[in-house]
Amino acid sequence: MPEIATKRDDIRALSGVHLFHFGLSNCSQRVRFALGEKGVAWTSHVIDLAKQAHLTPEFQALNPKGTVPVLVHDGRTIIDSNDIISYVDDVFVGPALMPAAVDDRAFTAATLDTSSQIQGALKLLSHEFLFKAGRRMTAEQLAVFKSKNPTPELQQFMTDFSSAEGFGDVRIKAAASEFVAAFAKLEARLSSNPWLSGHEFGLADTSWAGNVHRMALMRFPLDRTPKLSRWYRRIKARPAFADAILEYEPAALRAAFKTYTLLRTAQRTSIGSFL
Ligand SMILES: N[C@@H](CCC(=O)N[C@@H](CS)C(=O)NCC(=O)O)C(=O)O
């Protein structure tokens, strides 16, 4: 169960649905998408990762892992985005996102697991192919970040990202390969079903929408998986996708991503060159 006991009295006193999230966080995108598809009204609490708002004692008292998203529902605190979307589906009325058929439910469970497991690869690739121009830290910034961040893996990640050597080709290739393998499974699923969840849109689609969108922003060659590419076009046409994901991507940011991916293509170091 993804519910945790928060140390904060003010959180336990909250009623209704509150989401602590960040615009570009793909885990947050997933939860906003689920809330939108279910038609659940929620109160927004933005935790600005770029300003390290997740490293404050106040936020860490809410989620000791120091990560977003966190859903608070009538004082209950739920963490981990794939658990949150399952919780949202279970607890609220609205279209059922968990399919009814046993094999579709099994596929959904496995696909949500893969979506959680691939988070590290998505983070590494996002930093390498989208955020590298703007988010590397100076030695001073890194020292402050490390002093506030309770998680050794997160400290190490930022240290590697900000180093002159970067992540290195071996790690970049391994992360890209995880997506090649995952997308091959999704492509196979879509050869016999219109949606990852089965006959209807559901939790598996909700979970993967932001991941595929992020890879598209990096110019991962989605033409290698044509069914997944068509699925992505249909996903983007859903109003909840626009509200949950596109609304949080200002035009200037999208333009910066485009410029950086074009630069990497010109330098022959685009994500495609690592496949
Ligand atoms: N398993 C968690 C992972 C949460 C996570 O890693 N969130 C990222 C944003 S997508 C975060 O808060 N990162 C903060 C950091 O890396 O310092 C989930 O699915 O919610």
Side-chain angles (χ1 to χ4, degrees):
M1 180 64 187
E3 184 168 357
I4 58 167
T6 176
K7 294 182 192 137
R8 284 176 50 183
D9 293 340
D10 61 328
I11 294 292
R12 277 194 298 275
L14 287 175
S15 67
V17 179
H18 295 257
L19 183 63
F20 295 77
H21 66 123
F22 181 55
L24 266 196
S25 136
N26 70 295
C27 308
S28 301
Q29 291 174 336
R30 176 177 298 131
V31 175
R32 294 193 300 259
F33 194 20
L35 290 167
E37 287 287 344
K38 291 292 278 190
V40 176
W42 52 281
T43 302
S44 169
H45 303 259
V46 173
I47 302 298
D48 191 336
L49 298 185
K51 293 188 178 150
Q52 301 184 7
H54 59 309
L55 301 182
T56 59
E58 189 192 18
F59 183 72
Q60 294 194 356
L62 171 58
N63 179 8
K65 290 187 179 176
T67 55
V68 290
V70 178
L71 185 90
V72 178
H73 176 216
D74 288 342
R76 300 176 74 181
T77 302
I78 321 287
I79 59 167
D80 284 322
S81 55
N82 282 301
D83 290 329
I84 297 174
I85 65 173
S86 301
Y87 173 89
V88 164
D89 187 43
D90 280 348
V91 166
F92 296 101
V93 294
L97 297 178
M98 178 56 96
V102 173
D103 54 346
D104 291 339
R105 294 170 82 89
F107 183 86
T108 295
T111 308
L112 262 58
D113 278 352
T114 312
S115 170
S116 294
Q117 285 155 15
I118 212 161
Q119 177 60 27
L122 188 70
K123 181 178 175 183
L124 186 145
L125 296 172
S126 298
H127 279 71
E128 177 64 31
F129 294 108
L130 294 176
F131 305 152
K132 200 167 181 174
R135 288 234 191 124
R136 289 163 88 189
M137 292 185 181
T138 62
E140 293 74 30
Q141 288 168 329
L142 197 55
V144 175
F145 175 82
K146 285 165 94 169
S147 71
K148 290 187 193 166
N149 198 311
T151 315
E153 298 80 51
L154 296 182
Q155 293 184 19
Q156 190 60 49
F157 180 89
M158 198 44 82
T159 306
D160 296 346
F161 175 58
S162 300
S163 69
E165 303 75 34
F167 296 123
D169 287 4
V170 171
R171 280 173 75 188
I172 297 170
K173 272 187 188 156
S177 301
E178 282 191 50
F179 273 91
V180 171
F183 282 0
K185 284 190 186 148
L186 301 185
E187 182 77 357
R189 171 74 173 170
L190 292 169
S191 63
S192 48
N193 294 279
W195 297 103
L196 297 176
S197 298
H199 295 297
E200 307 285 343
F201 173 93
L203 281 178
D205 305 281
T206 311
S207 182
W208 275 85
N211 293 355
V212 175
H213 176 63
R214 179 64 57 86
M215 298 308 284
L217 286 176
M218 289 177 221
R219 302 194 166 220
F220 186 90
L222 283 178
D223 52 350
R224 294 177 173 202
T225 48
K227 294 184 181 73
L228 186 65
S229 203
R230 284 196 290 277
W231 167 91
Y232 174 50
R233 278 203 288 280
R234 283 184 286 127
I235 285 280
K236 277 199 291 186
R238 296 180 81 84
F241 182 90
D243 293 346
I245 297 179
L246 302 180
E247 281 291 312
Y248 291 84
E249 287 174 359
L253 184 75
R254 236 173 276 166
F257 287 163
K258 193 170 176 190
T259 305
Y260 186 62
T261 51
L262 285 173
L263 175 73
R264 296 290 295 247
T265 304
Q267 293 172 335
R268 299 183 189 278
T269 60
S270 68
I271 190 164
S273 72
F274 286 85
L275 300 177

